[in-house]
Amino acid sequence: MNRRRCATAAITVVSALTVLASPMLALPAHAAPEPPPAAPPAGAPKKTLEQVRKEIDALYRKAAAATDAYNLAEEQTKQQSNEIVQLARMIVAGQAKIEELKTHAGAAARAQYRNGGLPESAQLVLTDDPQLFLDNAGRLKQGQKATKDLLGELNRTQAELTAYTQEAGENWTKLEANRVKQAKAKKEINDKIAAAKKLESELAAEELARLVKLEEDAQYRMQTTWLSSGILKELNGTATERGKKAVQFATAQIGKPYVWGAEGPGSYDCSGLTQRAWGAAGQAIPRTSQEQWRLLPRVDIKDMRPGDLIVYYRDASHIGMYVGNGAMVHAPRPGRNVTLAGAGSMEILGVVRPER
């Protein structure tokens, strides 16, 4: 019964190879659209442009956090898909090996049947020929060892097959869970971006221009405060050869649009840019800003050097690359392009160094 269950599960996993080899299908969205925000009550004071700016900024930051969740789920989905493919191949190989071992065992059984159903040991004991007994004793010992080895290998292979099937089933469950996470994050991203764009669309052209100016002023104030601490006097670290290559790649992307989930070459999100830049320098790093913050070695801000990554906001939802002279390069948000900005123009959480 266990073998039958293993075989059934193996067939299910192997059949899934066809699905995994195809591009992932987008999950259908059945949720009802969210109702539009309620109109402000009559006589309510109109929001100031600064309030609108902060609201838009908050929406884009939430979209960035959801983008990180989407990217992480996508990475895990790819990993689990690859693992399922490998396990399926191992299951197929294990089944073939079991069939081969069974063939050998069957051959031994047929040989015993041809000898009248008596095992070789019994035939040897019953022989009257002393010379035949001596000649065949060694062969019998070897045959018994071979039979024992055959049964042991058959049991080991069966145990491996059972383990492979169980692991494949667990990975399949994780794969489906990550697909659900991706779909949920995708919806949240689109909802937040749509809400931000709606707020922007309600502004007149003159107000939009003033909104951009307010964004720049807010960043300038933060950068000025950061520089007034005297931090530049302490930042004298020199980029390594890999760091220089990473900076060269990142700055060469200036002007390309931000697209959430994008990893180049035509567009990037914030962590897609930093990952590709360090990949071009020969150093693999995690995909998301939160994972880059969690897994890469941290350094003190005063020890920062070009090529290091600056992580922003308490939830590590944004990241940029320090390029020197108090500046960094980053992919800001939807509607903006990869650009240079002040390293202190946003709330700094910390600094990580991809080079170990």
Side-chain angles (χ1 to χ4, degrees):
M1 182 62 70
N2 287 337
R3 292 178 182 174
R4 185 177 301 170
R5 283 201 296 268
C6 288
T8 302
I11 292 170
T12 302
V13 174
V14 174
S15 300
L17 285 172
T18 305
V19 178
L20 294 172
S22 305
M24 185 178 295
L25 300 176
L27 294 178
H30 298 294
E34 291 186 359
K46 184 180 177 181
K47 292 179 182 177
T48 66
L49 202 56
E50 176 62 13
Q51 289 174 325
V52 173
R53 181 194 71 80
K54 289 181 177 179
E55 190 173 344
I56 290 173
D57 184 60
L59 286 167
Y60 279 125
R61 282 183 56 190
K62 289 177 181 177
T67 298
D68 243 25
Y70 178 92
N71 289 337
L72 181 59
E74 184 179 44
E75 285 293 292
Q76 292 174 339
T77 295
K78 289 178 183 177
Q79 178 184 348
Q80 280 143 10
S81 295
N82 291 335
E83 288 176 358
I84 288 173
V85 170
Q86 293 172 2
L87 285 166
R89 289 172 179 161
M90 294 165 75
I91 288 170
V92 171
Q95 289 175 318
K97 187 175 181 180
I98 285 175
E99 290 304 316
E100 181 183 356
L101 292 171
K102 285 180 178 178
T103 299
H104 289 320
R110 287 192 295 274
Q112 181 173 318
Y113 176 77
R114 286 194 297 270
N115 291 328
L118 290 174
E120 290 185 352
S121 57
Q123 295 178 39
L124 186 61
V125 170
L126 295 174
T127 182
D128 293 329
D129 188 340
Q131 186 59 45
L132 180 62
F133 182 91
L134 292 174
D135 291 343
N136 290 341
R139 183 173 60 83
L140 175 61
K141 187 175 182 180
Q142 292 176 352
Q144 288 174 334
K145 184 179 184 302
T147 300
K148 184 178 179 180
D149 291 346
L150 176 65
L151 292 175
E153 189 173 2
L154 183 62
N155 289 334
R156 283 194 302 273
T157 303
Q158 184 65 56
E160 288 174 356
L161 185 59
T162 301
Y164 295 155
T165 303
Q166 181 178 350
E167 188 176 350
E170 291 170 354
N171 278 355
W172 192 268
T173 300
K174 293 177 184 177
L175 180 67
E176 290 303 309
N178 278 321
R179 282 175 171 162
V180 171
K181 288 180 184 177
Q182 275 184 276
K184 183 179 178 181
K186 182 177 181 180
K187 183 179 184 306
E188 184 175 356
I189 294 165
N190 289 331
D191 288 348
K192 301 305 180 192
I193 292 176
K197 288 183 175 179
K198 184 176 185 300
L199 285 173
E200 291 175 332
S201 70
E202 294 170 350
L203 299 175
E206 181 184 346
E207 290 177 313
L208 281 173
R210 286 175 54 208
L211 181 67
V212 172
K213 182 67 167 56
L214 285 174
E215 290 177 358
E216 292 172 349
D217 288 346
Q219 293 171 4
Y220 177 77
R221 285 194 301 272
M222 291 197 70
Q223 176 72 355
T224 301
T225 300
W226 186 66
L227 291 177
S228 66
S229 68
I231 186 69
L232 278 187
K233 295 178 182 177
E234 301 182 58
L235 294 178
N236 51 17
T238 304
T240 63
E241 287 305 311
R242 277 189 174 181
K244 290 177 183 177
K245 289 180 181 178
V247 169
Q248 287 170 358
F249 181 95
T251 53
Q253 312 312 308
I254 290 174
K256 294 182 179 180
Y258 175 104
V259 174
W260 68 263
E263 305 173 37
S267 58
Y268 297 89
D269 63 18
C270 65
S271 57
L273 175 64
T274 54
Q275 185 194 44
R276 289 302 180 197
W278 271 102
Q283 179 69 53
I285 64 174
R287 172 62 180 90
T288 72
S289 60
Q290 291 174 348
E291 288 294 281
Q292 289 172 14
W293 170 245
R294 186 174 71 88
L295 298 174
L296 296 178
R298 299 180 185 180
V299 296
D300 195 289
I301 293 179
K302 65 180 178 59
D303 297 322
M304 185 166 59
R305 67 192 186 198
D308 287 347
L309 305 180
I310 309 175
V311 184
Y312 295 97
Y313 305 118
R314 294 180 183 180
D315 59 357
S317 58
H318 191 68
I319 196 164
M321 179 181 292
Y322 185 63
V323 296
N325 296 320
M328 61 93 174
V329 61
H330 70 144
R333 65 166 176 83
R336 300 288 188 266
N337 297 330
V338 176
T339 187
L340 284 174
S345 59
M346 293 174 285
E347 177 193 342
I348 296 177
L349 176 62
V351 179
V352 294
R353 179 167 293 163
E355 291 179 292
R356 297 185 183 277

